[in-house]
Amino acid sequence: MSVSGLEYDAIRRSIADWQRLDQLMTGSKAALEAASTAGLPPSAQPAGTLFQERWSGFAGESAVIARGFADALTAASDDYLTTDDSVDQRFAELDGRLGPER
């Protein structure tokens, strides 16, 4: 736990989860783009192609969103750590003496 009470392990786990989701969605996008509709009947191929294009796009958008959350959490965590370190340093500089004995 930090000086300010944040649980950095929980934030780090969340960052890792969003990064894994980014990788999963990036992989899904690539797999959908590489898939072939040749095995479908000719009448279904246009619908299959549209399905692939749309879902590949959704997977790509999801990857970008997940990456954005991971980056935002990383930036926030870095800011919290910097603030915590500063507060900790300032508390360490304090002493309990009052008046001229300081």
Side-chain angles (χ1 to χ4, degrees):
M1 183 180 302
S2 70
V3 173
S4 62
L6 289 170
E7 293 289 343
Y8 289 115
D9 289 340
I11 293 173
R12 286 187 197 106
R13 283 192 303 274
S14 294
I15 292 168
D17 288 345
W18 283 111
Q19 289 170 334
R20 279 192 297 277
L21 184 58
D22 173 16
Q23 293 169 355
L24 177 65
M25 291 290 98
T26 299
S28 295
K29 179 182 187 312
L32 284 164
E33 288 175 342
S36 173
T37 58
L40 296 173
S43 62
Q45 286 180 1
T49 300
L50 182 61
F51 173 88
Q52 282 179 282
E53 289 172 359
R54 295 237 171 114
W55 281 99
S56 173
F58 296 149
E61 291 170 5
S62 296
V64 169
I65 291 168
R67 193 173 315 122
F69 277 120
D71 291 347
L73 281 169
T74 299
S77 178
D78 291 347
D79 287 346
Y80 298 149
L81 281 169
T82 300
T83 301
D84 256 4
D85 289 345
S86 175
V87 169
D88 192 40
Q89 182 179 355
R90 287 185 180 186
F91 278 136
E93 292 170 358
L94 293 176
D95 62 27
R97 296 176 289 169
L98 298 174
E101 292 181 17
R102 278 173 83 191

